[in-house]
Amino acid sequence: MAFSLYDATVANYLQILAAVGGYLEKSLTHFREKGIDSADIVETRLAPDMLPFRFQIASVAHHSRGAMEAAKNGVFVPPSGKPDLDYAALQALVTEARNELSVLTPEAVNALVGRDVTFKVGDRVLPFTTEGFLMSFSLPNFFFHATTAYDILRINGAPLGKRDFNGEVEIEG
């Protein structure tokens, strides 16, 4: 069986979105037990010049489900404004992204190969093929924001490890 665009993208999105949902829940339990307000976590940054946790999680959804929407309609635009979402809304956003991506079929995703996707931000326009956009732009951004969110939770004491980030790995047999 050949390796496909679906395997490289949607399968990864679904694995990591499930992991993000899991580490969000595990962290929330920890924060409640320790009396840490989740509203403070939502606003936490790794560095002063980085965007907060809420942006990181919103970007995980945007660079997965939003990326697949762009692959279908040909245009990707960064989210407008900074999402003002609380912890529960961020958890819901991850669940919604998983649900939307879970209905995509390999055939439908693989049929997008070779199509044009245009990235638009302000006056800047970057042309991609679907596979170029997903593999060189969207997927790296997706992993960056998932990792940054994980790191923010860790620096706030959440008892997370590598298995929490990786989620359920696909093994043979």
Side-chain angles (χ1 to χ4, degrees):
M1 179 168 93
F3 189 72
S4 70
L5 184 63
Y6 178 92
D7 298 326
T9 58
V10 176
N12 273 299
Y13 293 143
L14 289 172
Q15 176 183 336
I16 299 303
L17 283 167
V20 171
Y23 72 59
L24 286 173
E25 187 60 37
K26 185 175 183 178
S27 297
L28 184 59
T29 299
H30 169 78
F31 297 142
R32 286 180 176 153
E33 289 171 358
K34 298 295 182 189
I36 298 169
D37 188 349
S38 64
D40 293 336
I41 301 301
V42 168
E43 296 304 321
T44 300
R45 300 165 187 257
L46 280 181
D49 64 343
M50 291 182 80
L51 291 167
F53 180 79
R54 63 183 159 77
F55 178 85
Q56 305 305 325
I57 295 296
S59 293
V60 165
H62 193 67
H63 283 288
S64 56
R65 104 171 138 191
M68 293 313 299
E69 274 302 309
K72 288 190 261 180
N73 70 31
V75 179
F76 182 85
V77 179
S80 59
K82 295 177 186 151
D84 189 20
L85 303 172
D86 65 10
Y87 201 98
L90 293 171
Q91 288 179 291
L93 190 62
V94 170
T95 299
E96 291 165 11
R98 280 183 67 206
N99 291 343
E100 287 182 31
L101 290 170
S102 69
V103 300
L104 296 178
T105 65
E107 296 76 24
V109 172
N110 295 335
L112 300 171
V113 170
R115 294 184 56 187
D116 293 332
V117 175
T118 303
F119 172 83
K120 293 183 179 181
V121 59
D123 293 337
R124 192 168 185 189
V125 175
L126 300 172
F128 290 95
T129 61
T130 296
E131 58 275 24
F133 167 73
L134 292 171
M135 298 305 298
S136 73
F137 181 78
S138 178
L139 209 53
N141 273 282
F142 172 77
F143 281 111
F144 172 84
H145 293 293
T147 301
T148 303
Y150 170 92
D151 292 343
I152 289 170
L153 296 171
R154 288 282 292 137
I155 65 166
N156 280 281
L160 303 175
K162 189 179 202 178
R163 289 183 189 163
D164 295 301
F165 181 85
N166 287 339
E168 189 174 325
V169 297
E170 185 177 321
I171 56 174
E172 257 193 72

